[in-house]
Every structure is written in structure tokens, then in C-alpha cells.
Amino acid sequence: MLSLGLAVSLVTVSCALWPAAVRAASCETVRIPLCRSMPWNMTKMPNHLHHSTQDNAVLAIEQFEGLLGTGCSPDLLFFLCAMYAPICTIDFQHEPIKPCKAVCERAKSGCEPVMKRYNHSWPDNLACSELPLYDRGVCISPEAIVQAEGPGTIISLYTCRCKTVRMNMKTYMKNNYNYVIRARVKEVRNRGLEPTAVVDVKEVIKSSLVNIPKMTLTLYYSSSCLCPKLTPGEDYIIMGYENEETSKLLLIETSIAQKWKDRIGRKVKVRIYQYLVLVQPKTSGADWFQAFALL
């Protein structure tokens, strides 16, 4: 995947200039008739619907020809082709690029009412919830397509933008973090479907759902964006959430990761104490004990 903040663009006609060995190992020419009008000419199988060949994908996408004929959404064909014949670039050989969630939602909102007239609903395998948001991952959208002055079409891929989350009492109260730890980052892994960070837990300042031992643990990012950013070899104070069912420690967009300093650590402990004792009058006995132990 792309590193944070890295702007990426590609020229689809450049695919034809790649060495034959590279093309054979990664991308193939789009042969699905409905998708030949798309601004990309290279795709990769299996696609997002797990079709192993374009021949299989053709049979599946043809079921939407009648719906396309209704003109229910200008985004429908783009969305379907991004799913059935996903754009392939030399920068993303390990994983086809998905359409943005907003593209799916626009296509669904326009076309599902038409489908319901014939007792059909939006297919589960095209669920919008599984697609990346505009600002949380790499995805493709019609708005990202720009006609270049020279030959070819430029497609800009949306990249991650981490929002700054201020570490203060207001943020802590608003976000109600499940865990607060001091940890040293060993490794950040951004491969596959579940990006993670491996950390050595040095101190557990707060935990509410999961028992967090002082040992090497894995933190799970909620999206392909690595937000908040973590640098291997550095100590951080980390605030995030817990999944009680899976006992996983989660990092999401509103999580906090700030490089550790003793004075910051002391301040955080005092603030958590104040929150538990003064803001939450129904604090349990265990939490009272933990609150005083923080000081």
C-alpha cells in the first residue's frame, strides 16, 4: 500500500510500455465488453468478486445490462467495472484497487429503487460497507479522472490523510477510550486485509474490557490507512478501543498516539484520575483502585 501522504497518479497508456514479463506477472488487458469504455485498459484477476478469469466475470456482469439500460445512476457502470474489472497498476500488483465507498452508495441509491420494483435488492457481494472511504484508503472514483493535455488519461488515487487528534481532557471525555498504554513500537505491518502494529507494552494506564498484559501485543488498525502514525523504535502513549469478543486492541481514526514523555505521562494519569473520580460518580470499586494507583 501507499505510505501516508504520498500522492499517486498513473497514466493508463503507460501500461503498454511495461516489459512483457511484468505485464504477464501482474496485469492483463481488459476484455470485458461493458468495461472497454473505462479510462483504464489493464485489470487483474481474481477481481473483487473472486472471479478467477475475465470469462467468468463477463457472465456475472452481464446480469446488470438491463439495469444499466434504465439509466438509474451515472455511477453504476463505473462502479461495476471497478469491481468486476478492477484497475491494475504496477504500484498495486499485490491487491486490486477498490472503488470508493461513495461511488457505491451513489450507484445503490439510484438503482436499488428500480431493482425493488422487480423484487430484487442490492446484491450482498456489492455491499458498500466493505469499501474504503475517500480519506481512509486507496480507492478510485469518477471524480479522480482527468484528461491530460497529451495522450492518455490520468487517474489519481485517493490516499490516506490522518487527522490530528489533540490529547486533552475534552477529547478523552468525548471519545471515551477503552485503553491507555505506554508502549514501544516494534513493527508496523501494512500487508493483507488487516494492517497491524506490534508493540511492547511497558505500562497499562487504563483498560476496561480486555486484560492487557505487559508483553508484546498486536494493535489492529481499522482500515488500510495507518492512522494514527507509529514509528518503530519509539515509545508512545496510545489511546484506543477494545473489542471484548475478540480481545483485540484497536486503532481507529480517532485514536491517539503521541510520543512518550514522562511529564505527558504524569499529566495523562492525573487527567484519567480526575475523570474516573470526579466525572464518573458511579465508578466501580476496581476503577477507584486503579484511579488512585495511577498517582
Side-chain angles (χ1 to χ4, degrees):
M1 304 293 289
L2 293 179
S3 59
L4 296 177
L6 179 62
V8 177
S9 67
L10 60 97
V11 181
T12 55
V13 293
S14 67
C15 296
L17 303 178
W18 298 349
V22 172
R23 293 200 306 271
S26 56
C27 304
E28 56 188 80
T29 303
V30 174
R31 293 184 286 102
I32 298 176
L34 283 174
C35 300
R36 286 177 179 166
S37 62
M38 292 296 104
W40 64 88
N41 57 12
M42 303 297 286
T43 187
K44 182 177 176 65
M45 296 288 138
N47 60 20
H48 298 305
L49 286 306
H50 309 295
H51 297 114
S52 58
T53 68
Q54 288 194 65
D55 291 334
N56 293 335
V58 167
L59 297 175
I61 197 174
E62 283 179 349
Q63 67 180 308
F64 294 98
E65 283 188 302
L67 188 63
L68 287 164
T70 68
C72 56
S73 171
D75 292 290
L76 181 60
L77 181 59
F78 184 97
F79 170 68
L80 291 173
C81 288
M83 293 294 290
Y84 285 88
I87 182 173
C88 182
T89 83
I90 196 169
D91 299 304
F92 290 84
Q93 296 180 42
H94 67 286
E95 183 180 357
I97 301 166
K98 294 181 178 181
C100 296
K101 183 177 181 180
V103 181
C104 176
E105 291 175 336
R106 293 198 301 263
K108 180 179 178 180
S109 64
C111 297
E112 190 171 37
V114 177
M115 299 173 72
K116 287 184 175 179
R117 292 179 203 162
Y118 300 93
N119 298 318
H120 293 290
S121 58
W122 191 257
D124 291 340
N125 62 353
L126 297 179
C128 302
S129 60
E130 302 299 318
L131 300 174
L133 292 171
Y134 170 87
D135 59 350
R136 292 193 191 175
V138 177
C139 59
I140 186 172
S141 169
E143 301 92 272
I145 298 173
V146 180
Q147 294 293 332
E149 294 184 1
T153 301
I154 296 177
I155 301 176
S156 300
L157 305 180
Y158 294 128
T159 60
C160 303
R161 299 176 180 86
C162 290
K163 296 180 179 179
T164 300
V165 182
R166 294 184 179 277
M167 190 172 66
N168 52 41
M169 193 64 171
K170 182 179 180 180
T171 301
Y172 182 84
M173 293 173 62
K174 176 183 177 182
N175 294 335
N176 192 25
Y177 298 108
N178 295 136
Y179 75 86
V180 180
I181 60 174
R182 175 189 178 185
R184 170 161 291 187
V185 180
K186 295 183 65 176
E187 183 182 4
V188 177
R189 300 170 180 168
N190 193 18
R191 295 181 180 179
L193 299 177
E194 199 168 37
T196 58
V198 180
V199 302
D200 283 332
V201 178
K202 294 188 172 184
E203 184 178 2
V204 180
I205 300 173
K206 177 193 176 185
S207 64
S208 56
L209 302 175
V210 176
N211 178 38
I212 304 175
K214 293 183 182 179
M215 58 183 291
T216 300
L217 295 178
T218 300
L219 310 181
Y220 295 84
Y221 285 98
S222 62
S223 78
S224 56
C225 270
L226 302 183
C227 299
K229 294 181 65 176
L230 294 171
T231 302
E234 296 283 353
D235 282 15
Y236 286 87
I237 183 166
I238 301 172
M239 303 183 185
Y241 299 91
E242 301 166 347
N243 185 320
E244 189 174 14
E245 294 181 0
T246 62
S247 296
K248 288 183 176 179
L249 304 182
L250 309 178
L251 289 171
I252 69 173
E253 186 181 20
T254 56
S255 295
I256 288 177
Q258 186 165 325
K259 289 185 178 180
W260 175 269
K261 293 181 180 179
D262 289 340
R263 62 178 179 82
I264 292 177
R266 287 193 297 269
K267 184 176 180 180
V268 167
K269 292 176 183 179
V270 170
R271 292 292 182 262
I272 292 178
Y273 162 76
Q274 292 174 337
Y275 179 71
L276 289 175
V277 176
L278 303 178
V279 180
Q280 292 186 327
K282 295 183 180 180
T283 299
S284 68
D287 284 340
W288 273 89
F289 177 81
Q290 184 185 33
F292 283 106
L294 293 175
L295 298 180

